[in-house]
Amino acid sequence: MILAIAAAMTSVQQSAVMPLLPRMRDALHVPLTTAAWAVTISLLCGAVATPLLGRLGDLYGRRRMLLVTLAALLAGSVLGALSTSLAILLVARALQGCSAALVPLAIGAVRDALPAQKAPVGISVVTATMGTGVGGGLVLSGLVSRWMPGYHAVFWVIAGLAALVLALTAQIVRDVNAPPGGSLDLPGAALLIMALTCALLAIGQGTKWGWGSPRTTLVFIAAALLFAIWVEVEKRCAAPLIAIPMLVHRGTVGASVAALALGFALFGGFALIPTFAQANRALGYGFDASVLEAGLCLLPTALLMLVMSPWTGRLVPVCGASTLVAVGALITALSDIWLMVSHDRIGDLLVASSLFGLGLGLGFAALGVMAVEHVPAEKTAVASAINSLSRLTGGSLAGAVTSAIFAADTIPQTTLPSERAYVISFGLIAAAAAACAIVTWVFRFRSLRVS
């Protein structure tokens, strides 16, 4: 349970900060687009830290890296609570972003600690807490913001939670097996960090820079070249950061593509539902909800993901992880189709949120198992890190695509998105979830034929 709570902290720190961007803008006297770097830099650092700390966990022990990551989250939270300038806030958010590595590290620790027949349940619980953490972070932000001005109080609360989880992890979690040790592939790590930074920077800033602008094009080209060089370096390395054969294994590819699509749906849904609820009714849509009320609209999602995760783990040996991912993705698509067709009543948001939680509870819980079931135990954290990285990339794409839609389809004489922009965005999320189901079934069919 403590590992599941630790994994949830990465979602809490991310979602709790998103509603605070207007307050950060006002407190730091910067444009909203500049304040949004508080979200972007966290995603970037999370993408970089995930494979790196996952590999270090395989080499030097999951417990040690869990403690290091939680310490970084605690330090970043305290620094954010004390920040008085944008520069300090960005450093704080970079440290907090390292918590993205908690998910693969926790999955690796669960697989080490539990017998084979119980591991799917544990992995499912850890994976599903990501969605619970997102919903919990939004509610936390709403509760604290209702009673406290500014943005610093939320950081203090996250710091308190991080300190508690750090202390519990230090007391309870132990490495089952002695870590093998070894040397880190520093050239591979450096190249991967640069490639990921370029790729996610271009995705995150494409709307602002212009998708066809020279700057965006050059950064994408740099990312492609760096990835190509990284692959060649890893092929020649005796102990690579990520073994290329594992990276291109049909199990890894299938789980990674599914994570990309389902990550798009997860982050897109969690971003759109609260903002739709907060929209002014005078615009012709929305419900004038406060930050707290908007967060509560996602409470059914968070609760259902938490409830479904242990059941999903028990169903994996019976139905197969890929089957459950596909079914969950289809239910997730249904939730967004519902919002495309009907979104005039608050009940529509609650029904969609419930379907969203049911689908993601099945899909993400089983996806954690699907990502690691084909790799040996000593490579669990790296395989899970690849999957987490795909999920983060999908989330970054969701933010970029929906931002572009909102900027292109506005209410006349305003910069506010139209109702049609929301309908189109919900449709894209539904399409991404449906694509996840199709890809998962295709890779399942191919695997069955090979076996």
Side-chain angles (χ1 to χ4, degrees), residues 232-313:
E232 292 302 316
V233 169
E234 296 299 88
K235 285 180 178 179
R236 290 166 170 77
C237 182
L241 180 68
I242 299 174
I244 300 302
M246 185 182 72
L247 189 64
V248 298
H249 185 281
R250 67 175 60 86
T252 303
V253 172
S256 296
V257 175
L260 181 75
L262 208 55
F264 188 102
L266 172 73
F267 284 93
F270 271 121
L272 289 180
I273 291 176
T275 55
F276 186 90
Q278 291 179 80
N280 194 315
R281 285 183 181 272
L283 300 175
Y285 63 88
F287 302 99
D288 286 322
S290 65
V291 173
L292 176 59
E293 291 167 339
L296 291 175
C297 286
L298 286 171
L299 194 57
T301 300
L303 292 176
L304 278 168
M305 288 190 74
L306 189 61
V307 169
M308 287 302 301
S309 57
W311 288 102
T312 302

Side-chain angles (χ1 to χ4, degrees), residues 2 9 31 75 98-99 129 143 155 180 183 188 234 246 258 267 269 276 294 311 318 322 324 329 420-421 450:
I2 187 61
M9 288 301 300
C98 294
S99 64
T129 53
L143 283 170
F155 280 87
S183 59
E234 296 299 88
M246 185 182 72
F267 284 93
F276 186 90
W311 288 102
V318 178
S322 57
L324 295 175
R420 183 175 59 186
V450 171

Side-chain angles (χ1 to χ4, degrees), residues 192-215:
L192 184 61
I193 287 171
M194 290 187 290
L196 288 173
T197 300
C198 289
L200 292 178
L201 184 63
I203 291 170
Q205 298 299 302
T207 303
K208 180 181 177 182
W209 293 345
W211 290 104
S213 69
R215 187 191 306 186

Side-chain angles (χ1 to χ4, degrees), residues 404-449:
I405 293 170
F406 283 7
D409 194 345
T410 59
I411 296 172
Q413 299 179 336
T414 74
T415 58
L416 299 173
S418 67
E419 182 178 4
R420 183 175 59 186
Y422 275 98
V423 171
I424 293 171
S425 297
F426 285 130
L428 283 174
I429 294 171
C436 173
I438 294 169
V439 166
T440 303
W441 275 110
V442 167
F443 276 91
R444 173 178 169 77
F445 178 70
R446 289 183 61 190
S447 296
L448 288 174
R449 288 187 63 184

Side-chain angles (χ1 to χ4, degrees), residues 114-121 313-314 317:
L114 296 180
Q117 65 272 21
K118 293 184 178 180
V121 177
R314 294 185 182 98

Side-chain angles (χ1 to χ4, degrees), residues 36-396:
W37 269 96
V39 174
T40 303
I41 197 167
S42 176
L43 289 172
L44 283 172
C45 290
V48 168
T50 296
L52 186 59
L53 291 175
R55 177 58 177 161
L56 288 172
D58 286 339
L59 291 176
Y60 304 118
R62 328 271 195 217
R63 179 180 182 273
R64 182 180 298 177
M65 290 303 110
L66 281 166
L67 295 177
V68 168
T69 307
L70 284 166
L73 174 61
L74 174 59
S77 301
V78 171
L79 189 61
L82 298 172
S83 63
T84 56
S85 68
L86 180 65
I88 296 175
L89 177 63
L90 293 182
V91 173
R93 290 292 293 150
L95 287 169
Q96 285 187 316
C98 294
S99 64
L102 288 170
V103 175
L105 289 169
I107 288 175
V110 166
R111 196 179 185 192
D112 287 344
L114 296 180
Q117 65 272 21
K118 293 184 178 180
V121 177
I123 293 173
S124 297
V125 172
V126 169
T127 309
T129 53
M130 291 184 299
T132 305
V134 173
L138 289 170
V139 173
L140 168 67
S141 184
L143 283 170
V144 176
S145 299
R146 184 171 184 176
W147 303 109
M148 300 293 291
Y151 66 87
H152 298 90
V154 172
F155 280 87
W156 281 121
V157 174
I158 296 174
L161 293 172
L164 177 61
V165 176
L166 176 61
L168 290 173
T169 301
Q171 283 288 96
I172 297 172
V173 177
R174 294 289 182 271
D175 286 322
V176 176
N177 304 311
S183 59
L184 182 66
D185 172 23
L186 293 177
L191 285 166
L192 184 61
I193 287 171
M194 290 187 290
L196 288 173
T197 300
C198 289
L200 292 178
L201 184 63
I203 291 170
Q205 298 299 302
T207 303
K208 180 181 177 182
W209 293 345
W211 290 104
S213 69
R215 187 191 306 186
T216 304
T217 302
L218 286 173
V219 176
F220 270 128
I221 292 172
L225 289 174
L226 287 166
F227 274 122
I229 297 170
W230 173 74
V231 168
E232 292 302 316
V233 169
E234 296 299 88
K235 285 180 178 179
R236 290 166 170 77
C237 182
L241 180 68
I242 299 174
I244 300 302
M246 185 182 72
L247 189 64
V248 298
H249 185 281
R250 67 175 60 86
T252 303
V253 172
S256 296
V257 175
L260 181 75
L262 208 55
F264 188 102
L266 172 73
F267 284 93
F270 271 121
L272 289 180
I273 291 176
T275 55
F276 186 90
Q278 291 179 80
N280 194 315
R281 285 183 181 272
L283 300 175
Y285 63 88
F287 302 99
D288 286 322
S290 65
V291 173
L292 176 59
E293 291 167 339
L296 291 175
C297 286
L298 286 171
L299 194 57
T301 300
L303 292 176
L304 278 168
M305 288 190 74
L306 189 61
V307 169
M308 287 302 301
S309 57
W311 288 102
T312 302
R314 294 185 182 98
L315 288 172
V316 166
V318 178
C319 304
S322 57
T323 298
L324 295 175
V325 171
V327 172
L330 288 176
I331 298 173
T332 302
L334 181 61
S335 72
D336 289 287
I337 292 171
W338 184 292
L339 289 176
M340 287 179 64
V341 176
S342 181
H343 48 259
D344 298 327
R345 300 176 299 276
I346 195 70
D348 290 320
L349 294 188
L350 295 177
V351 170
S353 178
S354 299
L355 289 171
F356 201 54
L358 180 61
L360 291 174
L362 275 173
F364 262 110
L367 187 61
V369 179
M370 183 180 169
V372 301
E373 61 185 358
H374 62 284
V375 301
E378 66 272 13
K379 295 183 179 179
T380 297
V382 170
S384 181
I386 294 170
N387 199 255
S388 296
L389 180 59
S390 298
R391 187 189 73 249
L392 285 170
T393 304
S396 299

